[in-house]
Amino acid sequence: MTDTRRRLIDGAIETLRTRGIAGISARSIAAAAGVNQALVFYHFGTVDGLLDAACRESTAARVELYRDRLAAVGSLRELLALGRELNIAEREAGNVAVLAQVLAGAQQDAALAATARESLRLWVAEVAAALDRVLAGSPVSELTSTSQLAPAVAAAFIGIELYEGVDAGAAAGALEAIESLAVLAEVLDDLGSVGRAALRVRLRRLRAESRD
Amino acid sequence: MTDTRRRLIDGAIETLRTRGIAGISARSIAAAAGVNQALVFYHFGTVDGLLDAACRESTAARVELYRDRLAAVGSLRELLALGRELNIAEREAGNVAVLAQVLAGAQQDAALAATARESLRLWVAEVAAALDRVLAGSPVSELTSTSQLAPAVAAAFIGIELYEGVDAGAAAGALEAIESLAVLAEVLDDLGSVGRAALRVRLRRLRAESRD
DNA sequence: GTCTATAGAGGGATAGAC
DNA sequence: GTCTATCCCTCTATAGAC
């Protein structure tokens, strides 16, 4: 990758962070990149093309950065601790905010939506793999699949990140609530066969109800 | 409220829905409202002023619409069912998407952030009251407070709504995962004093660890 | 209260020199 | 690959007629 492409991608990410999706323009990005405005079109064709490349590139790099650590996680507790660390680091670097801005823009733009979908899938695949290991043998895995749980984790992350920008206290509370609820899973593990039996009863009742 | 103010507020909400925060302008709103562009400035001073009024107005109306039903909820199961119904209705009406767009714009705009914060607090207050009733006496209330749980619910809602625009399948999975996890709370209720005791043990251990 | 017209800024995108 | 210059469009906001 040439130096100018690099600078433009970094400039796009920085502009997304500082001015949001509503403040994105070839001129604002070029100013952040310290580069001529016309180069956006020479290298990426359109502003959307640059946004697309920036989102893909930044997500891939972030996922790469955390892959090893996610792969090393051995318990729910460790996963939550890593999640909190990741939340703080990404918030300081402004990267979850970037994904949130892209997601907001993607609601009305099919091309950007495809990019956002693939970016989220990169994260979700890593999270799902970690959940698979952490929840193996736990009664929780009878309740829900990690392929559903992982997107829920990603969605919560994004929601909390956006929340953080307008009400930091409430967002911190939300994060704590989620961590507290994870204790429920551990309690169920502690209860062993008793908990597992109670869970099965509930699940049977639930499925009988949904047949009505 | 005059007819023109009404039309402009509705036009702003519709524009937020169809074109997102990046597509907001006095002209696009006025076109959606079927009204002259200059009237935005006559009635609301600036485009931001109109956005602000639209967000407050629309949130207050929505919260009002669901207040009675939220107040009638008597169990976690009923609350989840109402949540799912609300999710579908608001998605079809495009209102959670509107709040998500405002939230994205609010990250870089202090005035809009204040509006978004207050709008979220309207929702959170209702959700917290419902959770208070539903979780009264449940061991879950020893784990976390509804003042933390309610923002978590709101954040998850917003995250899922944004997710829905780019990956509907994954978003549906996320919603199901959350509903499944709620069964954990019911299982713990079923277990009565056994579950409560196991929970207390876990909590003691957790707090001992966090003192290290 | 509503309209037209317009100033002045910012924006996407391109042509063509270097 | 990079720059300047420019076209033409859209934007906010206001002035002033009605």
Side-chain angles (χ1 to χ4, degrees):
Chain A
M1 174 137 45
T2 67
D3 182 55
T4 300
R5 278 185 72 92
R6 192 44 303 128
R7 290 164 78 110
L8 280 171
I9 285 181
D10 291 344
I13 292 167
E14 190 184 327
T15 306
L16 231 30
R17 196 154 48 213
T18 54
R19 305 184 44 173
I21 189 75
I24 279 288
S25 76
R27 285 169 157 87
S28 62
I29 294 172
V35 142
N36 190 284
Q37 169 260 148
L39 293 175
V40 169
F41 305 98
Y42 176 78
H43 285 285
F44 297 95
T46 63
V47 174
D48 279 358
L50 168 51
L51 221 49
D52 200 280
C55 180
R56 285 175 194 278
E57 223 266 347
S58 121
T59 304
R62 289 278 133 186
V63 169
E64 186 61 39
L65 194 62
Y66 284 100
R67 178 167 293 130
D68 291 350
R69 301 194 52 196
L70 266 167
V73 157
S75 71
L76 188 57
R77 187 64 52 85
E78 281 172 41
L79 182 60
L80 285 169
L82 181 56
R84 185 175 269 271
E85 189 189 322
L86 195 147
N87 169 266
I88 293 170
E90 295 300 288
R91 184 169 73 237
E92 279 168 7
N95 287 292
V96 187
V98 166
L99 191 50
Q101 292 291 332
V102 169
L103 227 39
Q107 305 294 312
Q108 292 85 25
D109 178 333
L112 205 52
T115 305
R117 177 165 52 248
E118 287 165 35
S119 296
L120 280 169
R121 283 184 180 169
L122 284 182
W123 275 118
V124 163
E126 300 294 326
V127 172
L131 285 172
D132 271 332
R133 272 180 292 114
V134 162
L135 296 179
S138 163
V140 175
S141 54
E142 296 183 29
L143 263 178
T144 180
S145 68
T146 53
S147 64
Q148 293 185 323
L149 199 51
V153 169
F157 241 77
I158 289 158
I160 288 175
E161 190 72 17
L162 278 173
Y163 216 139
E164 212 125 45
V166 305
D167 198 338
L175 205 54
E176 269 194 51
I178 290 171
E179 287 183 347
S180 299
L181 288 183
V183 173
L184 278 185
E186 296 181 331
V187 169
L188 209 65
D189 282 353
D190 288 351
L191 289 171
S193 57
V194 178
R196 208 175 282 268
L199 187 60
R200 292 235 170 84
V201 169
R202 263 289 163 188
L203 282 178
R204 251 199 304 279
R205 201 183 309 171
L206 189 69
R207 273 154 204 163
E209 276 171 21
S210 66
R211 267 195 304 273
D212 295 343
Chain B
M1 174 136 45
T2 68
D3 182 56
T4 300
R5 277 184 72 92
R6 205 14 325 120
R7 290 165 78 109
L8 280 171
I9 284 180
D10 291 344
I13 291 167
E14 190 184 326
T15 305
L16 231 29
R17 197 154 48 214
T18 54
R19 305 183 46 170
I21 189 76
I24 279 286
S25 76
R27 283 170 154 84
S28 61
I29 294 171
V35 143
N36 190 283
Q37 169 260 150
L39 294 174
V40 169
F41 303 97
Y42 176 78
H43 285 285
F44 298 95
T46 63
V47 175
D48 279 359
L50 169 51
L51 221 48
D52 200 278
C55 179
R56 284 174 195 277
E57 224 268 347
S58 123
T59 303
R62 290 277 133 188
V63 168
E64 186 61 38
L65 194 62
Y66 285 100
R67 177 167 293 130
D68 291 348
R69 302 195 51 197
L70 265 167
V73 157
S75 71
L76 187 56
R77 186 65 51 86
E78 281 172 41
L79 182 60
L80 285 169
L82 180 56
R84 184 175 270 272
E85 189 190 322
L86 196 147
N87 170 265
I88 292 170
E90 294 300 288
R91 184 169 72 237
E92 278 167 7
N95 288 293
V96 187
V98 166
L99 190 51
Q101 293 291 332
V102 169
L103 227 39
Q107 304 295 310
Q108 291 84 26
D109 179 332
L112 204 52
T115 305
R117 176 167 50 249
E118 286 164 35
S119 297
L120 279 169
R121 282 184 181 169
L122 285 183
W123 275 118
V124 163
E126 299 294 326
V127 172
L131 284 172
D132 270 333
R133 274 179 290 112
V134 161
L135 295 179
S138 162
V140 175
S141 54
E142 297 184 27
L143 264 177
T144 179
S145 69
T146 54
S147 65
Q148 293 184 322
L149 199 50
V153 169
F157 241 78
I158 288 158
I160 288 175
E161 189 72 15
L162 279 173
Y163 216 139
E164 213 125 44
V166 305
D167 198 337
L175 206 53
E176 271 195 50
I178 290 171
E179 288 184 346
S180 300
L181 288 183
V183 173
L184 278 185
E186 296 181 332
V187 168
L188 208 63
D189 282 353
D190 288 351
L191 289 172
S193 58
V194 179
R196 210 175 280 268
L199 186 60
R200 293 237 170 84
V201 169
R202 263 290 164 189
L203 283 178
R204 250 199 304 280
R205 201 183 307 171
L206 188 70
R207 273 154 201 163
E209 276 171 20
S210 66
R211 267 196 303 274
D212 295 345

